Amino acid sequence: MGGVEAWRANGTLKRRTVTALSLVPLVIAAVLWLPTQGLAVLLSGVLLVAAWEWSALAGLSKPVTRIAYLAAMLSAMALLWQWPQGQVLLVGLSAVWWVIQGIRLLGIRTIARVEGLQVSLLPIGLLVLVGLWAALVHLHALPRIGAGLVLFLMFLMWTADSMAYFVGRAWGGGRAKLAPALSPGKTRIGVYGAMVGAGICALIFAWTQSASSGATLLILLVCGVSVLMSVVGDLYESLLKRRRGLKDSGQLLPGHGGLLDRIDSLTAAAPVFSLGIVLIGAAA
């Protein structure tokens, strides 16, 4: 059985790698070449796909109600495009909500199955997905360094995710499970690996920006907390899927499942990172 499991794991890793390598150049090109308005439109389309998956996790079953939910999501993004201060407000609310979830999730020991509509998940979906949209749009709109900050956030997430995966597999074993009820495969060792990746990314970024020692410490803090929140985002989506008895949120991306499965970490990390950048700018 060990050989079979290893073969399956290697096959999954290959599919994940091929999918990631296909998408990364597209993401980089969009961030670097599109103006903020164009990126906002593109992100809106991507997040509407994620909202479709979210609506299923919330228990919406009829196509008309799911389309109405997508319309509400799109309306919220259109409103916030005209209200930049609202973007910052939503980013702040989203960041606080994710911190609260981080405290709550680690205390979960059992998960009860849920049937039917969970009304509370409808506004939460707006907070999570539109919060991600607002965070990325706000970052990208910053003069001179906006596109670079969005790219750095992406590379921070990719590095942390890769470090967590490989360090967890190499040294995690069956010990020190992080949240076994939510995600049996995640270990504390893997999180330590992700934090090492965050530290490396933060130091490289600080060096490229010729940051002072004080600013470097702030960058390390923001990157570290953002990566910790990325773990929370992953665990939260795992909670929603387990309540519904699902392995993946969808089948859109080979090796990754649905779109939500690919961006769950970013939904929690982006608002915290964006808010941290705002605070660093205010302290500069």
Side-chain angles (χ1 to χ4, degrees):
M1 289 297 292
V4 173
E5 291 301 324
W7 179 81
R8 288 177 178 172
N10 288 334
T12 299
L13 179 59
K14 288 178 181 178
R15 289 194 299 272
R16 286 171 62 92
T17 302
V18 170
T19 301
L21 291 177
S22 302
L23 292 176
V24 166
L26 298 177
V27 171
I28 293 175
V31 172
L32 290 179
W33 295 341
L34 288 178
T36 300
Q37 184 174 7
L39 185 68
V41 172
L42 178 62
L43 284 173
S44 298
V46 170
L47 291 177
L48 287 179
V49 176
W52 181 264
E53 297 175 357
W54 184 281
S55 67
L57 292 176
L60 290 176
S61 57
K62 296 181 179 180
V64 65
T65 57
R66 297 177 72 180
I67 292 173
Y69 185 63
L70 266 60
M73 193 81 67
L74 185 60
S75 298
M77 289 185 279
L79 173 63
L80 287 173
W81 175 253
Q82 302 294 331
W83 185 28
Q85 296 86 351
Q87 295 175 20
V88 178
L89 176 61
L90 180 61
V91 166
L93 290 174
S94 182
V96 170
W97 185 84
W98 279 116
V99 170
I100 294 171
Q101 295 311 303
I103 298 171
R104 185 178 74 90
L105 289 174
L106 293 179
I108 293 178
R109 297 293 179 265
T110 59
I111 301 174
R113 287 289 297 272
V114 173
E115 302 292 340
L117 176 62
Q118 284 185 278
V119 176
S120 63
L121 285 182
L122 300 180
I124 289 174
L126 289 169
L127 184 66
V128 168
L129 297 177
V130 181
L132 170 59
W133 179 89
L136 294 179
V137 169
H138 176 74
L139 277 178
H140 197 268
L142 292 176
R144 298 185 304 279
I145 60 170
L149 285 172
V150 174
L151 271 186
F152 174 72
L153 173 60
M154 300 295 180
F155 281 113
L156 176 65
M157 293 296 100
W158 294 331
T159 301
D161 186 52
S162 298
M163 288 287 287
Y165 180 81
F166 289 110
V167 171
R169 288 198 65 182
W171 292 290
R175 305 183 303 277
K177 298 294 185 181
L178 179 65
L182 298 171
S183 184
K186 279 191 169 42
T187 63
R188 294 177 186 176
I189 297 296
V191 174
Y192 300 154
M195 293 301 290
V196 170
I200 293 172
C201 288
L203 290 174
I204 292 174
F205 180 74
W207 175 71
T208 61
Q209 299 300 309
S210 301
S212 65
S213 57
T216 298
L217 288 175
L218 288 175
I219 292 169
L220 281 165
L221 177 63
V222 169
C223 289
V225 175
S226 298
V227 166
L228 284 177
M229 287 298 102
S230 75
V231 177
V232 174
D234 190 299
L235 292 177
Y236 185 76
E237 200 219 351
S238 294
L239 172 64
L240 299 186
K241 289 187 294 186
R242 288 185 178 278
R243 283 176 174 172
R244 296 286 175 183
L246 299 174
K247 182 180 182 294
D248 297 313
S249 65
Q251 301 297 324
L252 180 64
L253 302 173
H256 293 281
L259 185 59
L260 276 176
D261 297 316
R262 184 64 272 174
I263 67 170
D264 52 5
S265 299
L266 192 61
T267 57
V272 172
F273 181 82
S274 181
L275 184 62
I277 293 298
V278 169
L279 295 178
I280 289 176

